[in-house]
Amino acid sequence: MKIAFVGKGGSGKTTLSSLFIRHLAALRVPVLAVDADINQHLGPALGLDDAEAAGLPSLGARLPMINDWLRGSNPRIGSADLMIKTTPPGEGSRLLRLTEDNPVFEACARLVRLDDGEIRLMATGPFTEADLGVACYHSKTGAVELCLNHLVDGRHEYVVVDMTAGSDSFASGMFTRFDMTFLVAEPTRKGTAVYRQYKEYARDFGVALRVVGNKVQGPDDLAFLRDEVGDDLLVAFGHSDWVRTMEKGRPPRFALLEESGRSALRDLHAAADGAYERRDWQRYTRQMVHFHLKNAESWGNARTGSDLAAQVDPAFVLREQPAHQPA
């Protein structure tokens, strides 16, 4: 299952995504957490200190290696240099599986031990001095999109991605890569404006979207969210002493999280699990190809000097149990 947390900057999406990750880890299910936000706060929210968080490998900096390994023996891709963030897999490509070791996870993921389990954590990496003024942050998140395009995950395996703030997720096709998108919204006009924007953009792509209210202080806040987002509102989080202590860098044991929060997390889990019933690998692959062709035409062909449409394998459909991995 691939789950995204999105929302306005400051809405609390990193905090809530970290709580959901802890909830899954406590159930001992395989979890890959990905920090795809420019601010890179997911590591500290999961208990890493500043040095540990800063020492996480950068996916963006390892993109050539990622390209080379995922390419495998795919005859439609002449070299790893011709791969872009939307390149789809085909016959001969290597695929990622959450419960297997592979060079991508070995180089880019780090094991994080939590109170009741452990997870893998990857991060796109922050802007560097060399990036300032000349690079777009989406060049960093392109590594995440490429990995999601090559990921084969099952029902009781979770990828949880803390996305970049606002509607920046629509700068690529990555917003279609998820079984469920949780949009974290505060009970304010600005908070719900992001919801309306996301809803409009995602409408034509069958994106499963549920709203998670945050910083809800009473019935008036809850009523406001219901008026603004209707039936898309799934749950609401209010004040939490546990969260306040965690944000100070001293998280108590997860088992001590208030029951209201634990109940809301169970609702998130049930909604995410229910999305599996609607998973459509054919549509997933078609959308992958759709955005690859758009990117190829708009900038990829010119940048690489190659016709990237030729990378599409028309007979290939990403599936949960694909053919044997190439060596």
Side-chain angles (χ1 to χ4, degrees):
M1 302 293 295
K2 293 176 282 289
I3 309 299
F5 279 80
V6 301
K8 181 180 71 67
S11 63
K13 63 183 180 61
T14 299
T15 296
L16 295 191
S17 63
S18 73
L19 289 178
F20 188 59
I21 290 164
R22 290 176 185 272
H23 166 82
L24 295 172
L27 296 175
R28 300 297 199 274
V29 297
V31 180
L32 172 64
V34 183
D35 192 342
D37 192 351
I38 189 171
N39 294 313
Q40 302 286 282
H41 291 320
L42 185 57
L46 291 171
L48 300 187
D49 61 31
D50 290 343
E52 290 171 328
L56 289 172
S58 166
L59 276 167
R62 289 160 175 78
L63 190 55
M65 181 279 295
I66 295 171
N67 287 350
D68 187 62
W69 192 82
L70 292 177
R71 174 182 169 237
S73 59
N74 188 332
R76 295 176 178 274
I77 304 174
S79 73
D81 293 338
L82 297 178
M83 294 181 70
I84 62 174
K85 64 182 181 179
T86 54
T87 295
E91 186 66 31
S93 296
R94 293 191 180 98
L95 303 175
L96 299 171
R97 296 172 179 80
L98 292 188
T99 56
E100 295 181 356
D101 293 325
N102 58 65
V104 174
F105 290 161
E106 182 179 346
C108 303
R110 292 294 177 264
L111 196 67
V112 176
R113 300 189 186 281
L114 302 172
D115 293 339
D116 301 306
E118 60 187 28
I119 59 132
R120 280 175 167 149
L121 173 62
M122 297 199 304
T124 58
F127 258 9
T128 65
E129 186 174 342
D131 294 325
L132 295 177
V134 297
C136 170
Y137 186 66
H138 301 108
S139 64
K140 303 284 188 183
T141 60
V144 179
E145 185 170 354
L146 192 64
C147 287
L148 291 176
N149 280 356
H150 290 74
L151 177 69
V152 180
D153 58 311
R155 179 170 198 155
H156 300 297
E157 304 168 344
Y158 280 84
V159 181
V160 181
V161 182
D162 182 21
M163 297 280 278
T164 188
S167 58
D168 283 357
S169 306
F170 291 96
S172 73
M174 192 159 70
F175 72 97
T176 66
R177 303 296 83 200
F178 301 100
D179 297 288
M180 175 61 71
T181 297
F182 291 128
L183 189 146
V184 180
E186 300 170 82
T188 65
R189 292 177 63 187
K190 288 183 179 180
T192 56
V194 173
Y195 157 77
R196 287 191 292 273
Q197 192 174 32
Y198 215 105
K199 181 85 169 178
E200 179 181 354
Y201 289 161
R203 181 176 292 113
D204 295 335
F205 295 95
V207 172
L209 177 67
R210 300 301 303 271
V211 174
V212 181
N214 194 32
K215 306 178 186 179
V216 174
Q217 297 182 8
D220 287 346
D221 284 349
L222 189 59
F224 174 85
L225 285 173
R226 291 195 186 283
D227 288 343
E228 293 291 314
V229 309
D231 291 340
D232 283 339
L233 181 64
L234 177 62
V235 293
F237 286 80
H239 173 78
S240 166
D241 289 336
W242 193 98
V243 169
R244 178 58 64 90
T245 305
M246 180 270 286
E247 290 177 338
K248 293 176 180 177
R250 302 191 296 269
R253 288 191 60 81
F254 182 65
L256 299 178
L257 178 68
E258 297 90 344
E259 176 55 28
S260 60
R262 300 177 70 82
S263 176
L265 291 172
R266 289 193 293 269
D267 289 342
L268 293 184
H269 192 178
D273 194 52
Y276 182 85
E277 304 297 339
R278 300 184 294 275
R279 175 176 280 193
D280 183 343
W281 286 107
Q282 295 271 359
R283 184 181 70 181
Y284 190 85
T285 304
R286 285 197 307 271
Q287 290 177 342
M288 191 189 310
V289 169
H290 169 78
F291 283 103
H292 178 63
L293 295 178
K294 286 188 66 174
N295 278 267
E297 183 178 353
S298 64
W299 61 270
N301 291 343
R303 178 174 296 182
T304 62
S306 179
D307 178 14
L308 299 184
Q311 294 180 345
V312 176
D313 183 343
F316 183 86
V317 176
L318 193 67
R319 297 184 186 278
E320 193 166 331
Q321 295 181 334
H324 178 69
Q325 286 270 72

